[in-house]
Amino acid sequence: MGASATGAVTPSSATPPLGRVYAALTVQVLISAGTYLAAKRAMTELSPFTVVLWRFLVCGAAFVTLLAVTPGRKLPPRHAWPRIALLGLMGGPVNQTLFFSGLSRSTAAHAALFYALTPLGVYVASLVLGRERASARTTAGILTALVGVVVLLLGRGLASARGTLEGDLLILAAVVAWVVYTTEGKPLASEHGPLRATAWTMTVATVLQLPLIPFVLEPEAVWASSAAAKASIVYVGLMTSVVAYLLWSYALSKVPASRVAIFSNLQPAVTALVAWLFLDEALHWELALGGALVLVGVRLTQTAPVKAAPVVVRTG
């Protein structure tokens, strides 16, 4: 990267190696597929809000420990606090409360469809904020992947699924919160690295959940739950909220946010395969067609020329 006389950073002509980024996002997608199954298993014995609270308690403890043993800065600089507070709020209480509240009133198929709008939302937000420039190939890739998700979900019963308008609106609001988290998370991850960016935001998210402890902690119910339910909470607390979030933040620190977000559209296809392997759910021809369209969309987006808008850095 080079700096111009006006303080703007000009993109380097060299293309960074993306193998590690794609590997990280692939693992993140696989973890997310397991997240759906783990959360579903835990909520057969515990309330959704209890599962969410314990998820953040586990991940918050893990991130505080990581910060304590990692050399370097422990607390964010003063100028980063507003963004960290926003990300902690959006990625924690707002996203999770809206999602679980909406899911209890709607269907998983509707939720998956709305979350497939994430890449489009991140792309539009990045354009509005001037962090990316419009690309016909990126737009085509995002729309192709979205069509693939719709085809896939039609095969899994989206057409016959019924959900209330209230539930769908809550899920859509949760998607907006995740779009904000992804879009605003990129500058923080790029400046401070994925570990600190994720640790700071998830620690704030955990602190924001603490007032709920008297109401939804339910330690007796959690202790009395099965080993499978406890393991599911540990999975969503460590694998999802620590490992998957770190991988997501790592990718955001390396490539434009829209290129990261498009990988979320692989989630329904991977989840369907995992459900086939472990839950004996049937596979449909829509999985092959929808999955192929998603892969084409991801490929188009990843091969689009990078048109990141110049970033102005503070001087003096």
Side-chain angles (χ1 to χ4, degrees), residues 218-307:
E218 298 185 355
E220 296 85 0
V222 174
W223 181 256
S225 64
S226 67
K230 294 186 182 75
S232 296
I233 291 176
V234 173
Y235 183 95
V236 297
L238 292 182
M239 295 303 295
T240 303
S241 300
V242 177
V243 179
Y245 270 58
L246 281 173
L247 294 172
W248 189 262
S249 184
Y250 167 74
L252 283 175
S253 71
K254 300 297 182 182
V255 297
S258 61
R259 290 195 174 190
V260 177
I262 191 67
F263 273 80
S264 63
N265 278 3
L266 290 170
Q267 180 58 49
V270 175
T271 301
L273 288 173
V274 171
W276 170 65
L277 288 171
F278 296 101
L279 300 179
D280 294 325
E281 290 190 9
L283 292 179
H284 304 278
W285 64 267
E286 289 90 345
L287 176 61
L289 177 58
L293 287 171
V294 170
L295 289 174
V296 169
V298 171
R299 178 63 178 171
L300 281 173
T301 303
Q302 302 307 311
T303 57
V306 176
K307 296 183 177 182

Side-chain angles (χ1 to χ4, degrees), residues 5-307:
T6 62
V9 176
T10 57
S12 172
S13 58
T15 301
L18 298 179
R20 291 183 179 179
V21 174
Y22 295 149
L25 287 171
T26 300
V27 174
Q28 194 272 341
V29 168
L30 292 173
I31 292 174
S32 297
T35 300
Y36 171 79
L37 301 177
K40 186 175 181 180
R41 178 63 184 84
M43 287 188 291
T44 60
E45 301 182 39
L46 301 166
S47 74
F49 296 104
T50 298
V51 175
V52 171
L53 176 60
W54 279 95
R55 166 186 179 172
F56 279 102
L57 291 177
V58 171
C59 87
F63 276 123
V64 169
T65 302
L66 283 174
L67 282 173
V69 301
T70 301
R73 180 186 288 273
K74 309 301 181 186
L75 295 176
R78 183 176 300 177
H79 73 269
W81 272 108
R83 173 170 277 132
I84 291 170
L86 174 66
L87 294 176
L89 181 65
M90 292 294 106
V94 173
N95 175 262
Q96 292 299 303
T97 301
L98 289 171
F99 175 70
F100 280 98
S101 298
L103 193 59
S104 67
R105 295 169 174 82
S106 187
T107 66
H110 281 209
L113 177 59
F114 282 123
Y115 266 89
L117 296 172
T118 298
L120 184 59
V122 169
Y123 184 48
V124 171
S126 297
L127 293 178
V128 171
L129 293 171
R131 294 174 183 166
E132 296 185 34
R133 294 176 180 170
S135 164
R137 181 173 291 188
T138 299
T139 303
I142 290 173
L143 294 178
T144 300
L146 179 60
V147 170
V149 171
V150 172
V151 170
L152 171 65
L153 293 175
L154 285 173
R156 303 194 73 195
L158 177 64
S160 61
R162 295 291 183 267
T164 66
L165 177 62
E166 180 185 9
D168 288 348
L169 289 176
L170 287 170
I171 295 171
L172 184 59
V175 173
V176 173
W178 185 245
V179 167
V180 173
Y181 179 85
T182 299
T183 307
E184 290 300 315
K186 176 173 176 54
L188 189 70
S190 298
E191 182 178 358
H192 299 287
L195 175 58
R196 286 180 176 80
T198 311
W200 290 336
T201 56
M202 286 299 100
T203 300
V204 169
T206 302
V207 170
L208 293 174
Q209 299 278 359
L210 296 182
L212 297 177
I213 286 179
F215 307 102
V216 298
L217 184 66
E218 298 185 355
E220 296 85 0
V222 174
W223 181 256
S225 64
S226 67
K230 294 186 182 75
S232 296
I233 291 176
V234 173
Y235 183 95
V236 297
L238 292 182
M239 295 303 295
T240 303
S241 300
V242 177
V243 179
Y245 270 58
L246 281 173
L247 294 172
W248 189 262
S249 184
Y250 167 74
L252 283 175
S253 71
K254 300 297 182 182
V255 297
S258 61
R259 290 195 174 190
V260 177
I262 191 67
F263 273 80
S264 63
N265 278 3
L266 290 170
Q267 180 58 49
V270 175
T271 301
L273 288 173
V274 171
W276 170 65
L277 288 171
F278 296 101
L279 300 179
D280 294 325
E281 290 190 9
L283 292 179
H284 304 278
W285 64 267
E286 289 90 345
L287 176 61
L289 177 58
L293 287 171
V294 170
L295 289 174
V296 169
V298 171
R299 178 63 178 171
L300 281 173
T301 303
Q302 302 307 311
T303 57
V306 176
K307 296 183 177 182

